[in-house]
Amino acid sequence: MHSGIEARVKARVFSAGYCTGPGKVADKSLPWGKIKFPAPFALIQHPREGWVLFDTGYHPRLYECTQRLPEKLLALSTPFVVETKDTAVTTLEGIGVTPDEIGHLVLSHLHADHTAGVLDFCQAQLYSDPAGWEFIQNSGRLSRARKGYVSRLLPGDFQTRSTFINDYNVCVSKLLGCDGLSTELRGRDLFGDELIYLISLPGHARGHLGMLCRLHDRWLFFLADACWLTDNLSPGHEPHAAAGLIFDDSHEFNNTLGSLQQLYKHANEKILFIPSHCSKTIDKLVEKGWMS
Ligand SMILES: [Zn+2]
């Protein structure tokens, strides 16, 4: 890298529970049999801003929130498993980081498996695209549940504690030195220091975001649910058409995935792609510990 930027971030990935679902829905080349989808979160150490959390994974409070219909639909369609010892708050306390020390919490989108732990981080500034929050506010309980949202998981002061991001003024292929690529991926420099970028990855859910983090010799690209498996980044392994039923916009999902496939093909050696629910990728990173 030739940016002349001295400071870098450190990052570590953890898993907070998992759900199960048919493999073929996630990758059309797989059989229908059920596979495990981890629900990870990432802890980033920023040299000036301190701790930044990306998503939260599952939390046992989601069991209570999905006892009754319509939220029960969520537990029925994607049965999940999470123990208190695996939650973001307990895991972080285990490595000496108290919840009040988390100053920034980035939410890729507001689906329950990414937001179930948000209530534990009362001091954090929240970051998300406003489209997700607008959807939650303007839709009824049934349509929220059908789309994977449980609004009780979000704190009462969600709006006042949020910085909503929707001015994506950075061209991702230029940022990564892949000027020749025709991808339309765009992002926004989170703290204005070229270390962390929030990337608009529309299609999976309203206002869906990923995050790029600059390490010493490469980038980490947290893709959230822009694809479910690293294999999706290779043509022929896209999700099954049935997955379109749960997407916010299938056409946009396919456009976003097409751009990511191009980027994967051309910049694979300088970017580590991290889809949230790929157990092959997440298990390895959890084992690995800190990346810098
Ligand atoms: Zn999702």
Side-chain angles (χ1 to χ4, degrees):
M1 248 173 242
H2 310 286
S3 62
I5 295 161
E6 293 304 321
R8 295 289 189 268
V9 303
K10 279 171 70 176
R12 192 167 167 181
V13 174
F14 303 90
S15 187
Y18 64 90
C19 72
T20 52
K24 198 175 198 64
V25 174
D27 173 344
K28 63 189 180 190
S29 74
L30 291 177
W32 283 101
K34 288 207 167 189
I35 62 172
K36 263 191 189 185
F37 297 98
F41 62 96
L43 179 66
I44 319 294
Q45 190 175 33
H46 182 281
R48 190 190 65 238
E49 296 288 338
W51 299 118
V52 180
L53 207 57
F54 181 72
D55 287 338
T56 70
Y58 281 120
H59 188 288
R61 65 171 63 93
L62 188 58
Y63 290 124
E64 287 157 47
C65 297
T66 53
Q67 289 293 308
R68 279 190 266 158
L69 287 168
E71 289 80 12
K72 194 173 184 170
L73 290 171
L74 216 102
L76 294 172
S77 58
T78 47
F80 60 92
V81 177
V82 59
E83 292 178 53
T84 300
K85 69 173 177 54
D86 297 322
T87 58
V89 67
T90 308
T91 302
L92 294 179
E93 276 171 341
I95 59 163
V97 179
T98 64
D100 288 356
E101 288 178 274
I102 301 294
H104 309 277
L105 172 48
V106 175
L107 297 169
S108 63
H109 61 304
L110 304 182
H111 280 164
D113 54 331
H114 296 254
T115 55
V118 173
L119 285 167
D120 294 322
F121 302 97
C122 314
Q123 302 298 320
Q125 181 67 33
L126 307 170
Y127 301 85
S128 64
D129 185 293
W133 177 240
E134 279 158 22
F135 178 83
I136 285 190
Q137 287 200 300
N138 298 327
S139 52
R141 212 171 133 191
L142 179 61
S143 32
R144 286 199 298 264
R146 274 180 23 206
K147 286 285 183 185
Y149 300 100
V150 176
S151 53
R152 276 169 62 200
L153 296 172
L154 301 177
D157 60 353
F158 183 85
Q159 182 151 352
T160 49
R161 244 199 305 146
S162 284
T163 299
F164 291 113
I165 308 280
N166 63 356
D167 51 335
Y168 302 103
N169 53 7
V170 176
C171 170
V172 170
S173 39
K174 216 179 235 174
L175 171 70
L176 298 170
C178 310
D179 296 49
L181 292 186
S182 60
T183 85
E184 288 161 13
L185 297 178
R186 299 186 70 82
R188 150 77 183 262
D189 188 341
L190 181 58
F191 299 124
D193 54 13
E194 302 179 39
L195 293 180
I196 299 179
Y197 292 85
L198 303 188
I199 313 298
S200 174
L201 300 173
H204 168 74
R206 204 64 62 85
H208 181 269
L209 293 174
M211 187 168 84
L212 265 170
C213 293
R214 191 192 289 270
L215 303 188
H216 278 98
D217 57 352
R218 60 182 171 155
W219 292 89
L220 298 181
F221 197 168
F222 294 97
L223 301 176
D225 293 10
C227 62
W228 286 314
L229 308 174
T230 298
D231 283 347
N232 295 145
L233 296 168
S234 303
H237 293 270
E238 291 82 4
H240 190 273
L245 292 171
I246 42 182
F247 293 150
D248 177 49
D249 184 323
S250 293
H251 180 71
E252 277 200 305
F253 178 89
N254 291 334
N255 275 347
T256 299
L257 182 56
S259 293
L260 292 171
Q261 286 179 335
Q262 277 195 57
L263 202 59
Y264 184 70
K265 190 172 165 200
H266 290 95
N268 188 11
E269 71 296 336
K270 55 180 163 186
I271 306 169
L272 177 60
F273 292 82
I274 310 174
S276 280
H277 303 306
C278 179
S279 48
K280 249 196 281 180
T281 305
I282 298 301
D283 292 354
K284 226 186 277 171
L285 294 181
V286 169
E287 182 97 341
K288 191 178 171 96
W290 284 107
M291 294 178 277
S292 57

